[in-house]
Amino acid sequence: MGESNPSYSQLQVTIFSANLASNGAFLKADPYIELSVDGQPPKRTEVSKKTWTPRWEEHFTLLVQPSSKLNFRVLNHKSLGSDTLLGEGVLELKPLLINNNGKFNEYKTKLKLSFEQKGGIQPAGEVNLIFNGMNIDITAILDISNGELPTDASSSVDQATNGSLNTPSTGNSEGSSSSSDSTASTSTAATDTTNTLSTPTTTNSTSSPAPAPDPDPDSQPNPAVVVPPASLTEEELPPNWERRTDEHGRAYYVDHNTRTTTWERPQPLPPGWERRVDPRGRLYYVDHNTRTTTWQRPTNQSLDNYNQWQQHLRQNQNRNWELYGQRSLYNQQPQAQADSDPLGPLLDGWEKRVDGNSRVYFVNHKNRTTQWEDPRTQGTLQEDPLPEGWEMRYTKEGVRYFVDHNTRETTFQDPRGGQSKGPIGAFGVPVQYERSFRWKLGQFRYLCQSNALPGHVKINLSRESMFEESFQQIMRLQPFDLRRRLYIIFKGEEGLDYGGLAREWFFHLSHDVLNPMYCLFEYASNNNYALQINAASSVNPDHLMYFRFIGRFIAMSLYHGKFIDSGFTLPFYKRMLSKKVTLKDLETIDEQFYSSLKWLQDNNIEECGLEMTFSADFEILGKLSTHELKPGGADITVTEENKEEYIEMMNNWRFTRGVEEQTKSFLEGFNEVVPLQWLQYFDERELELMLCGMQEIDVDDWEKHTIYRHYSRNSKQVQWFWKFLREIDNEKRTRLLQFVTGTCRLPVGGFAELMGSNGPQRFCVEKVGKETWLPRSHTCFNRIDLPPYKSYEQLLEKLTLAIEETEGFGQE
């Protein structure tokens, strides 16, 4: 019997190890395993180097049905050329579930592998697997008509043959009933309310079957007999659908309406859905509940998954908004007690305060001005002396400038210049460079404040259509109006904007306008989630107007000192600063393109016989076009003498191909609000810092500013902990940081400026618990409780489980 509504369950498959057959191979293989479920896209293990007995111990969580089949393929990784198949095997879940009463608990099994050669099927070894999860009703997957029973039930039925179980004999006796009569009686017995089970024969019986015993209301039911419920009867396929089986015994379904196939059993459309065909003969589906259409056939499972994804997206958006509020450009130090301040009391007439973002500033009550720098160290903190005839002064806004009495000129540039001297500061660079960056930022803020206009500009919008309404209102305003104080109003929400609503608006709108799903921007590569302009943005006929709007919006975020949710690639920032992009910049954007140009640079192309010209082909939306790198480039051959020019032109073209108009519109919109000349003092990394804040994690800085309780720096668990951090990638480091501190963002000053619930709170590792415990975190105190594990492997397992399987802020 089939399932009328097959449900999915979570199954954890651990690919533990394998013992592969070498089959006379001279060199050892680099094997890995691909695991797929019912023909779905596969998941793969890491490559195990140079061995026939690999050991992975990797866990995979799969969504499966009781009827699913797991396909394991062992392949040999090749650095050059395609990978080769070493062996494969198929594992059916249904027999395993029947033998394990519908659930797995550390169930270990071995799967035999084989591969096909000209001489036939050859053994290829075996894979050791461990199953966990799934807890389903065993009766829901049994096919009683074919005699499928769990192991314990089958033995009970054998013992109960003389009881209520009636098995008719087969033979060629005279006076037999017809096969139709036998089938009818069997059907009646199978649906009877009594606990009897009739097992009919499928041969042409010639003897009369023994009559079924009369139901006795006083008799006790036999617990060993299982009767399938009526709901388990197999549902008929929709019209023009057919079920077939491939050469591996896997069932698939053919839709003769659209001439397509699928592994999934077709289900009736969910309530409120309708199937239609457009004028071009393409099949689509209409959801009358939400008045939307889709090309994908909806199922109850897919709708549930979509609703869960939407809920997960909303939860993550709220969490990202919380982390967004913690970003800062400056040292976040709360007001310290005067008696604990190593610099002593402030000068007469000065006061130390903390703003809403926990940034410390100083008030001079004598002239009623404020400044960021501490007046006790202003101009004297570990600085080299000024050249003869020079003097340092400050403007009313607290911006430092220098007076050259020799030439009677003034400048904002520090005349000491040269190589930076002095100790390294909290930002990981010399203190002089810190002051230089602060000076640059102060100069930029001064330009913004001096060009600000009085009054405010209201932006009234709804959260549901924030993107479109923001676009319409910002593009309707004059660029100079966007320099006024912003006053954001969300429709249907009461409240006054004193800066909080503006920060929220910048965060959510930046998340929308930079969303790659709108086809305006795209991720730089598969492993680089920085954004760059999408060359295919022309699918939107108004894309240039949208880029002009985004340029204005990004300029507003810099002008008003707000952060955006995600940032751009460093070469994009270089384009904004009119700086030359280098070949090294290409490595993070297109590694394959970089490798090709690097190979050309390092090798003699004339010896290789490459026939290249100063032209390149590029495909956008299926249209292939040829671009000449220089006039007449299609007729100019690349030689060893001019290859450097060719590499430089190709590198520049790679960054501009298909995005010239979009970049021009973006910069025009940006320049309307903030002149690009205002950014001339910054480099691309400082510009990224101003827009997004610090994101990269420095393990050395992390270790340097960590304290210990009941551990010492030389404890083996502590050394294992830092070894673990250095071996994992930056994503897992970010997860661990978020697990312990509650945020994946760091202050600009790095780990030295981590904040806790009571002010500055350094990262802490404390010895707590037993070796069987999982690590615990205290996000309010930036502390992780690390039990005294006995081995590095145990610490690796426990920490990985903690940072990957724990969700939310419920740790403590």
Side-chain angles (χ1 to χ4, degrees), residues 607-625:
E607 294 179 355
C608 300
L610 299 178
E611 298 180 358
M612 297 183 298
T613 61
F614 278 76
S615 62
D617 296 333
F618 183 50
E619 181 180 358
I620 302 180
L621 299 176
K623 180 182 179 181
L624 183 65
S625 59

Side-chain angles (χ1 to χ4, degrees), residues 492-522:
E493 301 180 17
E494 297 182 0
L496 299 177
D497 184 11
Y498 291 100
L501 292 179
R503 284 197 303 272
E504 186 177 0
W505 177 69
F506 273 104
F507 172 78
H508 291 297
L509 185 58
S510 65
H511 179 80
D512 287 343
V513 299
L514 302 179
N515 189 344
M517 297 300 293
Y518 288 117
C519 207
L520 297 175
F521 292 88
E522 64 180 355

